[in-house]
Amino acid sequence: MSKALSHPEAEAIDLSAVLDALRDPIRRAIVLMVAEQGEKRCSSFLHCATKTNLTYHVARLREAGVIRVRVEGPARLITLRQDELDRRFPGLLPAILAGARQDPPLARLVESA
Amino acid sequence: MSKALSHPEAEAIDLSAVLDALRDPIRRAIVLMVAEQGEKRCSSFLHCATKTNLTYHVARLREAGVIRVRVEGPARLITLRQDELDRRFPGLLPAILAGARQDPPLARLVESA
DNA sequence: TCCTTGGTCCAATATTCTTTGAACTAGGCT
DNA sequence: AGCCTAGTTCAAAGAATATTGGACCAAGGA
């Protein structure tokens, strides 16, 4: 039986956890790319970090409530919890995404995916 | 001769550094209180942490570009770099402050100051 | 001058976060 | 079955953060 990936409820999303999740450039790159291109699989980010390390970063984003991960066959598909997040912390995610877009090295990471 | 406290230029403020600074509840309490009550001295926050520890947290906020610290006699006076921050990352600080206000334990910290 | 107030600085510890390799599992294809 | 793809798990090592105590310093008042 496959383990159910745990996601916090929308109302339980914690500000410290979200800021903590988004303070890392690799994690911001993942989030930015999903924001711009929609659902992505983990392997789309192998140019950012090793496989093991990606598992770690994706788990942090998921546990913070920033992304949702669903299992489809052998792959994990990642989406942004944009609406839920914006209801809980209005304006926060858009502001951070805008900041991420201004960052050339980060934008380059997103390009190269 | 008194050391000149270093503050990053407005354009040099880094998103990772800002999120890093604001991910800590003690630091958010400091920022929230200065946002609501205007200029404050370090000692206003002694109920949040020890003296030494406050020096540390205040330095992190300053080095991230979130607050400005000026020396007046024996005291350090703290203000928010609200306008500069909002020009660099529009909407970010307001969103985080709004989130902080929703947080009962944090709001209680601000009350008790 | 001595004392108090308001903080700083340093060094040590504790904790937490990040990264890695090696071994593993689960699904799907042939 | 055997193999590949996609990703997980674990343990260990390394790096960064947080917290504390003790000594210190500078300004201002008695």
Side-chain angles (χ1 to χ4, degrees), chain B residues 3 42-43 51-52 55 76:
Chain B
K3 68 220 55 241
C42 289
S43 52
K51 224 166 34 154
T52 312
T55 297
R76 305 306 186 260

Side-chain angles (χ1 to χ4, degrees), chain B residues 84-102:
Chain B
E84 293 169 282
L85 221 43
D86 211 63
R87 221 166 298 125
R88 181 103 176 82
F89 301 116
L92 180 60
L93 187 59
I96 294 176
L97 289 175
R101 281 189 201 97
Q102 289 174 21

Side-chain angles (χ1 to χ4, degrees), chain B residues 42-99:
Chain B
C42 289
S43 52
S44 312
F45 307 107
L46 280 172
H47 60 291
C48 298
T50 63
K51 224 166 34 154
T52 312
N53 200 5
L54 269 183
T55 297
Y56 169 74
H57 285 303
V58 167
R60 297 221 54 182
L61 286 167
R62 174 176 49 77
E63 286 161 10
V66 175
I67 62 176
R68 194 170 285 283
V69 183
R70 78 193 165 84
V71 179
E72 183 154 320
R76 305 306 186 260
L77 293 174
I78 299 174
T79 48
L80 249 193
R81 297 180 67 176
Q82 211 152 8
D83 294 352
E84 293 169 282
L85 221 43
D86 211 63
R87 221 166 298 125
R88 181 103 176 82
F89 301 116
L92 180 60
L93 187 59
I96 294 176
L97 289 175

Side-chain angles (χ1 to χ4, degrees), chain A residues 3 41-43 51-52 55 76:
Chain A
K3 68 216 52 238
R41 39 176 58 207
C42 289
S43 53
K51 224 168 31 156
T52 312
T55 298
R76 306 307 185 261

Side-chain angles (χ1 to χ4, degrees), chain A residues 44-72:
Chain A
S44 312
F45 307 106
L46 279 172
H47 59 294
C48 298
T50 63
K51 224 168 31 156
T52 312
N53 200 7
L54 269 183
T55 298
Y56 169 74
H57 285 302
V58 168
R60 297 221 54 185
L61 287 168
R62 174 177 49 77
E63 285 161 11
V66 175
I67 61 176
R68 195 170 284 284
V69 183
R70 78 193 167 81
V71 179
E72 182 154 319

Side-chain angles (χ1 to χ4, degrees), chain A residues 23-38:
Chain A
R23 117 200 107 133
D24 183 277
I26 293 180
R27 295 195 288 257
R28 275 205 302 283
I30 292 173
V31 166
L32 180 55
M33 180 147 168
V34 176
E36 306 211 317
Q37 307 183 7

